Amino acid sequence: MAAQKIILVTGANQGLGYCIVSVTATRDPSAHFILACRNVEAGEKAVEELKKNGITASLEVLKLDVTNDDEIVAAVDAVTAKHGRLDVLVNNAGISRFPKDASLPALRAAYTEMLQVNVSSVACVSAGFRPLLAQSAHPKVINITSGLGSITNCLTKKMNRSPPYGTSKVAVNGLTAHLQTAENDRVAAASSGEGGPKVDYYSVAPGFLKTAFTRFNERGKDPYAGAEVIVQLILDEAGEYQGGTQWEFEQGKMQQVPCLLVQAASLIDDLRGLGLSPGTKIGLASNSSGFTQRWSSYDAPSYVAAVKPVTDKDVAKVIAFAANTSTPFLSTGGGHGFSTTLDRLHKGIELDLGNFNNVSVDADANTLTIGAAVRFRDVVGPLGKAKKELPIGSEPCVGMIGATLGGGVGRYSGLHGMILDSLKSVRLVSAAGEILTASTTENADLFWALRGAGFNYATILEATYNVYDETAPSVLNADFLFPPNASQALLQYFKSFEADGLPAKLALVWLAANNEALGGSFIMINAVYVGPKAEGQKYIQPLFDAFPIRSSQVEVPWSQVNAAAFFGNEPANYTCPTNSPHNVYGGAVNHFDLDTFQTFYENYDNLTSSLATQLSGTVYFIEFFPNQAALAVPANATAYPWRNITAHLLLNFAYNATSGLDDKINAFAQGARSNFSAASGFAQPELYVSYGHGDEDLATLYSKENLPQLLQLKKKWDPQNVYRYNYPLIR
């Protein structure tokens, strides 16, 4: 009969440690569990709760502060006296700390404490119990690490991270490797089993868990699910898992986490072996020099390698390789996407299309052709020089093709429709690695789907648009700065256009924020009228009557509207921001319910005022664009379903996601989104897909009417679901 297995778990009175005991004891009730805790009373309460929940295995509480050497010695003596051996040691106890302030002493204290608890104590506890482990037939030490402990993740993924904590987990992985190497050397040099059987050391990454450790963050996974990877190692009697390895439990099975630097080197070697053109850049990660940087680091994808091709065939080779090897990848143009679904891409390839930056205007043919990396600000100069225009977005740093694939909203939609309505054709690489053209006459079914759901089907290399003669040589750009107490008057002004709709030449954008340099909370209104000041003045006079703190009116050509807007806040030489966290939620309404809008603004202003420093950079937009030309396009002409939206809402929360604000911000934003949806005036929820947070249902993003055809085309053009990260149709 097998001896009773003795399992000791540090920090076992709550969180992951408690769940490890609970799940393991449920599956192996014959084992004996030692709950090692700093607070014996808390450990005893945990034992009571486990028993109440039906655990029948024998349970024992052991006082152990892992940072106290005397207590480690006493704990070892206690286990020796009572059991004479230890079969499994789980080093679960750990902490996460942030520096109390920006001073060097505070920083040093944070690192010292983190390394003391998370690393030195793991080493000391493991060494202390080593003689008892030597008495076991199959001894194991399981060290809890984190995805933050991966050097490659640090280099390739903008995570919600803390350098002190992440550094400590890098050290835990290194400690595990060194302990295993030393143990292997000992066994190889020993004779007659001297020193006992080989101890297997493991690192495990349970994932980001919803526990007290993370302040019960709503984005965390169930800690019982996180415990599964540890439980599998504890219960492994066949020696299936080799010591010195790191494991995670994902997609219902154990998965070994290779040394990610080795994985990166292997993947980079594979990419170099594809025979890509000279000039193609291949590197470790997207935050390396020479690769396109993402706008937002919030829930960003995780890359192992990045490749920046120079030809269409290079792109096709990379995509074919990724598809054939089931390697996840994401094509990056402007890098401005912010869907939280992008976080599902782990250890993949960034396919950086930054070299596809061509801009060509054919004034005679009234066309514009651009490469995949071109942003809105790159096209205004060449088009303005040719006295041409087309609808573009109001943020100059956004990639133009990416915006087009979602629909593309902007100030000129009353005159020329949505951006996708101007799209004439695209050259692309399919999920199968084929270079194709799509238009209304060639691969027309794919072209239909690309316009409104394009993230799901292909990588666009180049796009050609129809352009238009400039509507007016000068455009009125008017900006207004108001205090918060003007909100009701401004909302009533917006609502005054509701019955007849905005004139086709008028566009309004509301921006609300809190900036201590500007005296705190404020509201800015940008009004653009496609025509001279004398003609547009009557439409914006009510804004002057609302007594702005500051106002400005300038007449500029179409090509300078974005640079002039909001008092010239983003001029032509503006540096596009990168690698900062943006937690974004969108909304849409058919009419302005004044009570809903005013209540939200008051709540938003209270939130941003109370957390002015933490939420610095947070903005709330109302984009009130005309839609006459957009509505004139037949509903079934493209896959974009929501041409009837009156105003788009965008809540851009900028904050350090490790600051503990995540739950508060998400709860606030989700509540606001629900309230706006209820008062939107739509029969069913509607949302411009590119403004989605990423958690919306498919019908809200793509419409229940379009979904069957979109899914059918998905099966035809991407049956392996290669394109599955950016607002995916198949989740």
Side-chain angles (χ1 to χ4, degrees), residues 197-243:
K198 184 177 74 172
V199 180
D200 285 324
Y201 293 86
Y202 303 96
S203 289
V204 297
F208 184 74
L209 308 179
K210 185 179 179 182
T211 65
F213 193 84
T214 62
R215 298 183 178 90
F216 298 99
N217 193 303
E218 289 297 329
R219 294 171 54 237
K221 73 178 181 181
D222 188 332
Y224 286 95
E228 186 62 38
V229 60
I230 299 101
V231 175
Q232 291 285 334
L233 290 173
I234 292 174
L235 299 181
D236 173 38
E237 298 293 345
E240 181 179 352
Y241 306 114
Q242 180 180 352

Side-chain angles (χ1 to χ4, degrees), residues 12-28:
N13 60 289
Q14 64 177 344
L16 177 63
Y18 176 92
C19 294
I20 292 168
V21 173
S22 179
V23 177
T24 311
T26 299
R27 298 187 194 171
D28 186 5

Side-chain angles (χ1 to χ4, degrees), residues 96-285:
S96 178
R97 296 285 188 271
F98 294 97
K100 294 179 179 179
D101 53 52
S103 68
L104 290 179
L107 181 64
R108 184 179 297 278
Y111 271 97
T112 299
E113 185 178 14
M114 207 82 64
L115 292 170
Q116 161 80 337
V117 177
N118 295 353
V119 186
S120 300
S121 294
V122 170
C124 289
V125 170
S126 299
F129 281 98
R130 176 66 181 78
L132 283 172
L133 290 162
Q135 304 305 311
S136 172
H138 304 287
K140 300 173 185 176
V141 176
I142 301 171
N143 298 325
I144 308 301
T145 185
S146 163
L148 294 167
S150 160
I151 293 176
T152 298
N153 277 353
C154 294
L155 294 173
T156 63
K157 184 178 181 182
K158 291 292 179 178
M159 300 177 291
N160 303 333
R161 58 190 174 189
S162 160
Y165 178 75
T167 300
S168 75
K169 291 306 181 180
V170 171
V172 167
N173 289 344
L175 173 65
T176 302
H178 279 286
L179 289 174
Q180 189 65 67
T181 301
E183 182 69 1
N184 293 345
D185 291 345
R186 179 195 68 80
V187 172
S191 60
S192 303
E194 181 182 349
K198 184 177 74 172
V199 180
D200 285 324
Y201 293 86
Y202 303 96
S203 289
V204 297
F208 184 74
L209 308 179
K210 185 179 179 182
T211 65
F213 193 84
T214 62
R215 298 183 178 90
F216 298 99
N217 193 303
E218 289 297 329
R219 294 171 54 237
K221 73 178 181 181
D222 188 332
Y224 286 95
E228 186 62 38
V229 60
I230 299 101
V231 175
Q232 291 285 334
L233 290 173
I234 292 174
L235 299 181
D236 173 38
E237 298 293 345
E240 181 179 352
Y241 306 114
Q242 180 180 352
T245 52
Q246 181 177 339
W247 295 88
E248 60 187 9
F249 192 87
E250 297 291 342
Q251 300 176 339
K253 62 182 179 180
M254 290 287 282
Q255 297 189 26
Q256 184 177 349
V257 181
C259 173
L260 290 181
L261 288 175
V262 174
Q263 182 182 1
S266 175
L267 186 53
I268 287 171
D269 284 344
D270 288 339
L271 291 170
R272 287 174 176 159
L274 296 178
L276 305 178
S277 302
T280 295
K281 180 177 176 63
I282 301 172
L284 183 62

Side-chain angles (χ1 to χ4, degrees), residues 3 176 232 298 328 381 388 418 431 487 493 521 584 624 712 730:
T176 302
Q232 291 285 334
Y298 187 88
K388 301 292 181 180
M418 304 185 69
S487 58
Y493 168 68
S521 299
V584 184
F624 190 11
Q712 183 179 2
I730 300 174

